Amino acid sequence: MTQFAIRLLVPDFPSADELLPWLRRIDASRWYSNFGPLVQEFESSVSGVFPENDAGALHLTTTASGTSALQLALSGLSLPRGSRVLVPSFTFPATALAILHAGLEPVFTEVDGKDWCLSPAIARAVAGRTDLDLVLPVATFGRPLPAGEWDAFARNTGIPVLADAAAALGYQAIATGMTAAFSLHATKPHGIGEGGLLVSRDPAIIDRARQLSNFGFRKGMAQRDGTNAKLSEYAAAVGLAQLARWPRIQELRRRLWTNYRERLAAIPSVRLQDGPEGWVPAVVGVMTSVAAAEVSDGLASSGIETRSWYCPPLTHQPAFAAFSRAGPDGTGDLPVTDALARRLVGLPFHTGLTDQQTGFICDCVRQLAGRETGQ
């Protein structure tokens, strides 16, 4: 395995000493799974990380992973088998795999050229040309989706919306008609190792998902086609310890991103993902004027680890080759997605980075990305 001087992702987790009080509570209760006291406390406390004025009316349940949160939500909709779900091709495979595991069919589409997300405008254009039963937009790299606009889309079209907001915890608002799944994977800013959240303003949606996560049990019998997707007490212990650390983690990431963004924005041959004021991305992706592979190779030679997030797009991966594409122009062409696949480079972004390291990374990107334009 290649050793890099500057790592791409380094999770920021509680120390053993920070976890110890929570582990002792598990020892005392001898309750390890099945909606134990730490899971209940974590579910009650984590609502506080949602944007201001949202927490009071929200309902949520924990799950074993972000993928299971998506799949439980999809199954809870009780859509007929084979129902068509519009989803961006530019996303992580888990999004489409959850659709398939729920017995539904993905229809792959384009993303917006500025924020790299499936937008309501794109979804409306596609819905005007083909039948859709659900739209599943993705909060790309943690970029929060416009909750109000998606709520209006659902009302105006009658097509429900389920958001894959995997990395957007702390920034994604939840509108009245919106349900969102979040990931608590180790690589996420609010990581606990493995885990997920399903959040909605409709308590019935959360109740169904919770039932499905516990084998579909109700009154001691399996009433629905459920699974085992519950969060363990040990994962909840990490989650509770992380909540105590969350303000510090957020501040460190905000300061790092401010420094990074100013340096990267000064490079003419680099384009950043658009996002709302105050947002901090989960990972840093840049589009360059040079092929991503060339930039990545050059950075690797300087000891900098990179990754091309969401590349290749799902439409170029064997598991999804048989499913249709539907671009907003009525063709199967997805030019923005294809451009991202060629030009996107994921740069190191974690709380262990120093200002000196980010400066070095940006200097290297400037040299590599500027070759084509003669900088």
Side-chain angles (χ1 to χ4, degrees):
M1 181 181 293
T2 303
Q3 297 297 315
F4 293 96
I6 303 179
R7 296 282 305 280
L8 178 74
L9 285 175
V10 179
D12 190 340
F13 265 48
S15 68
D17 288 341
E18 289 171 314
L19 276 177
L20 191 56
W22 303 105
L23 298 180
R24 283 178 170 152
R25 283 185 54 182
I26 295 175
D27 287 346
S29 71
R30 294 190 178 275
W31 195 338
Y32 305 99
S33 187
N34 294 349
F35 311 117
L38 294 192
V39 166
Q40 294 176 48
E41 185 173 343
F42 178 64
E43 290 181 346
S44 176
S45 300
V46 76
S47 62
V49 309
F50 284 86
E52 190 176 358
N53 299 323
D54 281 342
L58 293 181
H59 303 271
L60 62 84
T61 188
T62 49
T63 62
S65 67
T67 306
S68 60
L70 269 181
Q71 190 172 340
L72 292 171
L74 289 162
S75 298
L77 291 170
S78 299
L79 295 171
R81 191 168 188 83
S83 292
R84 291 161 59 82
V85 182
L86 189 69
V87 64
S89 175
F90 189 66
T91 186
F92 190 66
T95 313
L97 290 172
I99 294 170
L100 293 178
H101 291 164
L104 310 177
E105 178 182 334
V107 177
F108 294 111
T109 194
E110 183 63 288
V111 292
D112 180 84
K114 293 182 178 179
D115 63 19
W116 310 341
C117 297
L118 167 57
S119 67
I122 292 173
R124 277 193 296 271
V126 176
R129 295 186 174 93
T130 186
D131 291 334
L132 299 174
D133 301 291
L134 178 71
V135 177
L136 207 167
V138 176
T140 306
F141 305 153
R143 197 275 188 210
L145 298 164
E149 293 179 31
W150 278 113
D151 200 28
F153 170 89
R155 288 196 311 271
N156 295 337
T157 64
I159 303 172
V161 175
L162 169 64
D164 180 350
L169 188 63
Y171 297 101
Q172 181 62 61
I174 309 295
T176 302
M178 185 184 201
T179 298
F182 298 86
S183 173
L184 302 175
H185 188 268
T187 56
K188 299 298 184 288
H190 199 296
I192 68 172
E194 284 284 7
L197 295 171
L198 189 66
V199 186
S200 177
R201 293 187 182 274
D202 185 345
I205 290 174
I206 300 305
D207 183 64
R208 284 196 300 271
R210 197 174 185 86
Q211 180 187 5
L212 289 168
S213 76
N214 190 34
F215 308 100
F217 281 168
R218 186 84 75 193
K219 297 181 179 179
M221 295 186 293
Q223 308 283 352
R224 299 173 63 94
D225 183 14
T227 186
N228 183 9
K230 301 182 295 293
L231 193 72
S232 76
E233 286 289 274
Y234 287 106
V238 180
L240 287 162
Q242 281 291 64
L243 284 174
R245 305 172 74 249
W246 183 234
R248 171 189 166 275
I249 292 173
Q250 279 190 305
E251 180 57 28
L252 287 173
R253 292 178 64 86
R254 187 176 295 111
R255 285 166 49 195
L256 176 62
W257 171 236
T258 298
N259 181 42
Y260 227 155
R261 181 186 59 206
E262 290 175 354
R263 292 172 181 268
L264 290 170
I267 306 174
S269 51
V270 164
R271 184 151 58 86
L272 299 175
Q273 180 184 16
D274 280 2
E277 185 69 27
W279 166 63
V280 178
V283 297
V284 172
V286 298
M287 280 194 74
T288 71
S289 60
V290 177
E294 184 176 340
V295 175
S296 293
D297 288 346
L299 292 173
S301 69
S302 296
I304 302 168
E305 185 180 12
T306 64
R307 186 175 302 167
S308 292
W309 308 106
Y310 298 175
C311 299
L314 300 190
T315 44
H316 296 276
Q317 299 191 28
F320 313 110
F323 298 101
S324 61
R325 307 180 186 186
D329 62 355
T331 72
D333 295 336
L334 309 177
V336 174
T337 297
D338 291 340
L340 285 164
R342 294 191 303 269
R343 306 290 186 183
L344 181 75
V345 180
L347 301 178
F349 188 54
H350 53 82
T351 57
L353 286 175
T354 65
D355 287 347
Q356 182 179 11
Q357 287 174 321
T358 56
F360 176 65
I361 293 166
C362 292
D363 287 343
C364 291
V365 170
R366 181 188 296 275
Q367 294 173 7
L368 294 163
R371 290 175 179 174
E372 189 175 84
T373 56
Q375 295 177 46

